[in-house]
Amino acid sequence: MNKLPEDTLDPDDWPAFRQQSHRMLDDMLDYIEHIRERPVWQAAPDEIRTHFHAPLPQKEGNLAAAHAQFMHDILPYAVGNAHPGFMGWVHGGGTPVGMAAEILAAGLNANLGGRNQMPVEVERQIVRWMRELFQFPDTASGVFVTGTSMANLMSVLVARTTALGQAVRQTGLLANGHHCVAYTSAAAHGCIAQAMDLSGLGIASLRRIPTNEQHQMDLTALTAAIKADRAAGLLPFFIAGTAGTVDTGAIDDLAQIARIANTERIWFHVDGAYGALGMMSPEIAPLLEGIQLADSIAFDFHKWGQVQYDAGFLLVRDASLHMDAFAAPATYLRRETRGLAGGSPWPCDFGPDLSRGFRALKTWFTITVFGTEKMGRSMAHTCYLARYLATQVAAHSELELLAPVTLNIVCFRYHPDRTDHPNHQITAEQLDELNRDIVADLHESGIAAPSTTTIQGKAAIRAAIVNHRTMQQDIDALIAAVLHHGNIRASISRRI
Ligand SMILES: *Cc1c(COP(=O)(O)O)cnc(C)c1O
């Protein structure tokens, strides 16, 4: 018999590979070190996009060429969330520490589904740390997931199984006879509704409770809605409070919601996607009072925690209820008391993922290297910047604040001063369009990248200051650019 060809995917020339990979690392360190010199964002030219309509490669390529293509075609056209001028949506900036940790994790290529291995112990260390941070009991469980969208969905599933019993996993909702209803605020993130959809409970079974002037859930309306649903024979099973709404950064009165949920015997979940880690800051933590009473908390290390994407997390007060919703016996996943198949329960018992990456490592490095004090200070700093931005908005007659600033999100708009031009009053639609245009102008200028939202029917420029690299000079640049583009557009429209 002929000898089989020895085809491995490892390099033939390790020294050359080593040099090439060091160049790749250096390029990314240069990128982060000098990111300020770049535009926040620029659109990829069509010509560059066509490079990614290439046929499926059949012949062997080469690493240096692929690296060159990355530098030329990909790196300059990312969304820009690592840049200090990025203030759109709620994105973390990442750190060089997290990047270096990602290299180690990739080298190990661990599968964190389970088994008897130290990487799983690192994930458990994060679970223990999060119990401590949120003052959860030792019986609490936690698991890394992609993001808070997934963690929120899983919390709905845990609450559903708790309310209806584990039999629902066999029979499904139809056989059950209970109509489960959930509650969240009108300012909650869209993924709560999506969780109701994906879990089969239905979006119509989510009550969107109106908000007060502080953009918090109106708790009188919440109590009334629960009462009405019970009177109609429905089963209230889930309340999601929000710690840092995506629009304005408002924090629901979590302590009060906890009391209501406890009295009504309803699962109390907190969507703390970006706000929950504010527990690391002594200045922010008091605003989150009541979060420690939740049955479950969903949050992201990849937002305010600055860990590289993706690193979402679900923490559940009662590990057994958490497992009841997900753990499943399978012969090929049989647990043993010794050998590699030991160490039960495994992370795959706490969620729908079986194969999972080592998200815990970049998170462990980030928390280990910076410590919660420094991380908390960087979060508090984004809140100072938000308050500074609010004072700058107040200082300019063309700018108007549209929502109170609780944390690090500022919603405002440009409103041309038309007192000298009584015949040129601007309509509400024109004003909305003007502000959306200003934001697109800012994106294209590469100076700053806020996003837009709608606050009480008004289009708002929304600056979510999440990035630890953002400084006062970036806020000044944002204000100057809004005024510049606003004035240009307003004077054009005046001439028409
Ligand atoms: C970002 C965010 C989400 C979604 O989290 P992902 O990590 O993007 O899935 C949910 N809720 C709030 C309040 C958020 O800010």
Side-chain angles (χ1 to χ4, degrees), residues 90 147-149 152 189 191 242 244-246 271 273-274 300 302-303:
V90 175
T148 293
S149 303
N152 282 337
H189 194 275
C191 65
T242 304
T245 61
V246 67
D271 175 353
Y274 83 85
D300 287 323
H302 58 225
K303 290 178 172 172

Side-chain angles (χ1 to χ4, degrees), residues 14-29:
W14 277 101
F17 187 91
R18 184 179 296 260
Q19 272 189 358
Q20 171 57 34
S21 24
H22 286 175
R23 277 195 288 274
M24 290 163 71
L25 172 61
D26 280 338
D27 275 349
M28 291 322 286
L29 293 172

Side-chain angles (χ1 to χ4, degrees), residues 15 25 28 240 353 361 442 465 470:
L25 172 61
M28 291 322 286
D353 293 320
L361 192 68
L442 294 181
I465 305 156
T470 304

